[in-house]
Amino acid sequence: MNNTYRINPMEIKEMVALARKAQKEYQATHNQQSVDNICRAAAKVIYENAEMLAREAVDETGMGVYEDKVSKNRGKSKGVWYNLHDKKSVGILNIDERTGMIEIAKPMGVVGAVTPTTNPIVTPMSNIIFALKTCNAIIISPHPRSKKCSKHAVDLILEAIKPFNVPEGMVQVIEEPSIEMTQQLMGAVDVVVATGGMAMVKSAYSSGKPSYGVGAGNVQVIFDSDIDFEDAAEKVIYGRSYDNGIICTGEQSVIYNEADKDAVFAALRKRGAYICTEEEGKKMRDLLFQNNGPINKDVVGQGVQKIAKMAGINVPEGSRVIIVEANGVGEEDVICREKMCPVMCALSYKYFEEGVDIACRNLANEGNGHSCAIHSNNQAHIILTGSKATVSRIVVNAPSATTAGGHIQNGLNVTNTLGCGSWGNNSISENFTYKHLMNISRIAPLNPAIKVPNDQEIWEL
């Protein structure tokens, strides 16, 4: 690899100084077309190296599923580029025909992006592309347990965009990340994007800089009675087992009508779910949340057989997920919390509104503001869920794991950073994307052609 873009270890202040210089040059020399060419190249190189990067991520982190990481690398790179390819982000964005107001895009400056070990390739990629799309420089602070594969992804992007005269220092990565360096970075840049654990997100919000963080995931899934249970079961189990359940959009709880229990459980078993006995469920709780504490880090991103062995239960070969029947709702049963592995819980309701209430109570305990899913053919029930659930995304009749983070067909921005609104102590209640890294200047002349109504006319409106 050409060493032009290799940044030797340096102090954060030096990295930020280099980034500021590069950002000014980039903004001065690139128009919308050249910016889009750069973003396309950055996304395409991850797509083209999806298999290699997936292997490196699994080997370094010891979490997840190789095949799923390949599909994630390809799907996210395609989706991000597809979403951004025709969006304005440089210069004049819009001229209002009625008022004559002109909106002009401005970069924020230098972005500090903290990325997680659970998504060590696609999160740096998407944040880099969002920054480049809006003429911002960016410094990536990867998780220490995935620093090598994250740095390799950044290096590949740097090599891919080099032919487009991107200034040195426009994209940088901390090669030996630490908590101290990450905190220094967050305090030195112009805006922070924090994707990962809640302690790190809280630190970002305490940095004194504008910050975009994420909330905890705990996706609740409601089964209506008017559905094909086998189809819904396949989508849910696919989502829960995807990448061994490490992504925040993965399904966590199946909430079903008690009258449908036999049919629902039969469908789940047919599609590869192992449903625990009461004693096995107790063992699973003890493994996942020892002494009702935080999730056991040793189970995160591990496969069904390994988790079952750790819990001391026997699960048939070919099982895709483990399901534990909950003994309560929300804080009444620890199994209702987020489980970052292919384990789910199941709860029943007597009438649909109660099912929505169960989902909300689980979310209030953990995961408020994030996402939920519903499998239904009843539009009234779908709207009711969207109206009542305190979440930023409601996935309908699809795997939440692979669509809540954005999909070409559902209108959600493709991203790896999912805002959870005030419910999750976040500043945005939508999928983070390029527009959140733009300042907009508005030129606002008075248009004499617009008649100003008198007081009486205004109060008659």
Side-chain angles (χ1 to χ4, degrees), residues 59-241:
D59 290 348
E60 184 176 6
T61 66
M63 296 188 297
V65 178
Y66 165 74
E67 293 80 5
D68 292 341
K69 289 190 183 297
V70 172
S71 72
K72 188 190 303 184
N73 291 344
R74 288 177 176 158
K76 289 292 185 180
S77 57
K78 288 189 300 182
V80 166
W81 167 242
Y82 181 87
N83 274 181
L84 300 192
H85 78 278
D86 59 350
K87 302 296 191 304
K88 291 182 179 180
S89 60
V90 180
I92 295 176
L93 299 177
N94 181 56
I95 302 176
D96 188 276
E97 293 182 0
R98 177 174 176 271
T99 64
M101 185 174 72
I102 303 170
E103 295 180 329
I104 303 176
K106 306 283 183 64
M108 292 184 169
V110 180
V111 180
V114 188
T115 60
T117 189
T118 50
N119 274 324
I121 307 301
V122 292
T123 303
M125 173 207 68
S126 58
N127 287 340
I128 288 169
I129 294 172
F130 296 154
L132 292 172
K133 177 75 174 178
T134 47
C135 296
N136 292 285
I138 185 168
I139 301 172
I140 301 292
S141 180
H143 194 285
R145 287 188 295 166
S146 53
K147 63 185 180 183
K148 293 180 181 178
C149 62
S150 291
K151 182 181 183 300
H152 191 194
V154 175
D155 284 344
L156 287 170
I157 289 173
L158 287 171
E159 191 71 10
I161 65 178
K162 184 176 181 296
F164 300 94
N165 298 316
V166 176
E168 179 181 356
M170 191 67 182
V171 177
Q172 300 177 60
V173 60
I174 298 176
E175 296 187 13
E176 295 296 334
S178 65
I179 293 175
E180 181 182 4
M181 290 193 76
T182 298
Q183 290 176 336
Q184 289 178 12
L185 176 69
M186 292 190 294
V189 297
D190 298 301
V191 61
V192 177
V193 182
T195 313
M198 296 313 298
M200 184 271 294
V201 172
K202 183 178 180 181
S203 180
Y205 282 134
S206 302
S207 67
K209 297 301 174 71
S211 300
Y212 295 104
V214 296
N218 189 18
V219 178
Q220 303 299 301
V221 185
I222 302 174
F223 276 14
D224 209 341
S225 291
D226 63 340
I227 62 172
D228 180 334
F229 292 125
E230 284 194 21
D231 177 70
E234 172 57 33
K235 289 173 180 173
V236 167
I237 291 173
Y238 170 78
R240 177 74 297 221
S241 61

Side-chain angles (χ1 to χ4, degrees), residues 64-65 244 299-310 319-320 322 341-342:
V65 178
N244 277 346
V299 305
V300 175
Q302 303 307 311
V304 166
Q305 289 299 328
K306 181 175 180 178
I307 291 171
K309 184 176 180 180
M310 292 171 68
S319 296
R320 300 164 66 191
I322 297 171
C341 57

Side-chain angles (χ1 to χ4, degrees), residues 35 44 59 74 94 110 168 178 190 193 207 210 267-268 278 287 303 311 317 334 357 412 421 459-460:
V35 162
K44 195 167 187 287
D59 290 348
R74 288 177 176 158
N94 181 56
V110 180
E168 179 181 356
S178 65
D190 298 301
V193 182
S207 67
L268 290 168
E278 184 175 347
L287 171 67
E317 288 293 333
V334 70
D357 179 63
L412 296 172
W459 295 116
E460 289 176 351

Side-chain angles (χ1 to χ4, degrees), residues 359-379:
C360 290
R361 289 175 62 188
N362 281 345
L363 289 164
N365 184 48
E366 187 170 72
N368 221 12
H370 202 291
S371 311
C372 72
I374 179 172
H375 292 263
S376 175
N377 295 308
N378 185 323
Q379 188 67 6

